[in-house]
Amino acid sequence: QVTLRESGPALVKPTQTLTLTCTFSGFSLSTSGMCVSWIRQPPGKALEWLALIDWDDDKYYSTSLKTRLTISKDTSKNQVVLTMTNMDPVDTATYYCARRPKEGSSWPFDYWGQGTLVTVSS
Amino acid sequence: SYVLTQPPSVSVAPGQTARITCGGNNIGSKSVHWYQQKPGQAPVLVVYDDSDRPSGIPERFSGSNSGNTATLTISRVEAGDEADYYCQVWDSSSDHRYVFGTGTKVTVL
């Protein structure tokens, strides 16, 4: 059974750094082709892809947010961590982690975590 | 940057057919995936690679993709189908690489 769960602070102040952890089970990020991604959704708005890390430790970022994002993995703990620097109120959103199960960028995200709402406010 | 455009809303009576479009430049050359998102819940994959269904997704959900438009069709609509629906593609030249549509709210009358 595949599950993913996001954890992190519910509230951060402007200019602070956000650190989110995705803890997953039911699969291994050392399996060839396996990837985990972060996707966010501002309240009432559409989904926005942020970053992806694959089984080979290759990392991909949204071009517009690349300078602020870092994604990493701890295969032994079954965790993927996303850090986002210089948080702003416009970054208020629900942050999801999701699995892409196979090699090939056109594969979909087949399992998602329940999401964690992050509010940026002083 | 690659843009996927969906109608903001679609209304349908129970038992009827809902069609949700996703417009993008030459989208027919890409693999399109569709996600259903109910209020307060995470997205769920309902159609992938234009027209395939994950296990557990009813046959009432189907998809097609050609030219500049992909379509998600929900047949024999039920009250439980009321949700937001998002299309998604991968585009190597796009800022976001994994591009999501603007989303469509399906209302069951």
Side-chain angles (χ1 to χ4, degrees):
Chain A
Q1 179 188 4
V2 173
T3 65
L4 302 98
R5 184 181 77 252
E6 305 87 352
S7 58
L11 179 67
V12 297
K13 290 181 167 49
T15 75
Q16 285 187 337
T17 294
L18 170 69
T19 300
L20 295 173
T21 301
C22 175
T23 304
F24 57 86
S25 63
F27 67 96
S28 173
L29 200 39
S30 61
T31 300
S32 179
M34 198 66 69
C35 306
V36 171
S37 199
W38 284 94
I39 296 153
R40 71 178 179 180
Q41 185 175 38
K45 296 188 176 181
L47 300 161
E48 178 187 19
W49 177 78
L50 300 176
L52 178 144
I53 190 166
D54 70 14
W55 76 102
D56 207 23
D57 209 33
D58 291 321
K59 300 158 189 176
Y60 304 88
Y61 297 99
S62 164
T63 303
S64 60
L65 293 168
K66 183 173 185 174
T67 59
R68 300 174 53 205
L69 296 174
T70 303
I71 193 170
S72 62
K73 65 182 175 72
D74 186 330
T75 305
S76 65
K77 293 183 178 179
N78 282 348
Q79 290 182 333
V80 171
V81 174
L82 180 77
T83 62
M84 180 180 289
T85 62
N86 195 25
M87 293 292 286
D88 184 272
V90 299
D91 297 313
T92 294
T94 296
Y95 287 75
Y96 296 98
C97 59
R99 184 184 85 157
R100 197 197 82 192
K102 296 187 180 183
E103 189 168 2
S105 300
S106 61
W107 279 97
F109 301 107
D110 65 343
Y111 285 92
W112 297 59
Q114 85 280 6
T116 186
L117 175 62
V118 178
T119 301
V120 184
S121 175
S122 55
Chain B
S1 193
Y2 195 79
V3 176
L4 295 175
T5 302
Q6 300 179 233
S9 62
V10 167
S11 297
V12 58
Q16 299 304 302
T17 298
R19 294 180 178 86
I20 306 162
T21 58
C22 175
N25 185 36
N26 198 25
I27 195 174
S29 66
K30 302 179 183 297
S31 289
V32 180
H33 317 303
W34 291 92
Y35 302 88
Q36 175 194 68
Q37 186 179 33
K38 295 182 179 180
Q41 298 184 20
V44 172
L45 180 67
V46 293
V47 166
Y48 67 97
D49 286 354
D50 299 340
S51 58
D52 291 333
R53 280 185 312 278
S55 61
I57 300 300
E59 292 182 6
R60 300 185 298 103
F61 288 84
S62 62
S64 63
N65 184 19
S66 179
N68 293 319
T69 304
T71 303
L72 175 69
T73 301
I74 311 172
S75 304
R76 301 181 299 283
V77 166
E78 303 174 355
D81 299 330
E82 187 161 290
D84 293 326
Y85 291 83
Y86 293 92
C87 56
Q88 181 250 312
V89 301
W90 180 78
D91 181 79
S92 61
S93 65
S94 182
D95 172 39
H96 285 84
R97 294 180 181 251
Y98 295 88
V99 182
F100 289 91
T102 51
T104 298
K105 168 68 175 178
V106 170
T107 300
V108 181
L109 301 171

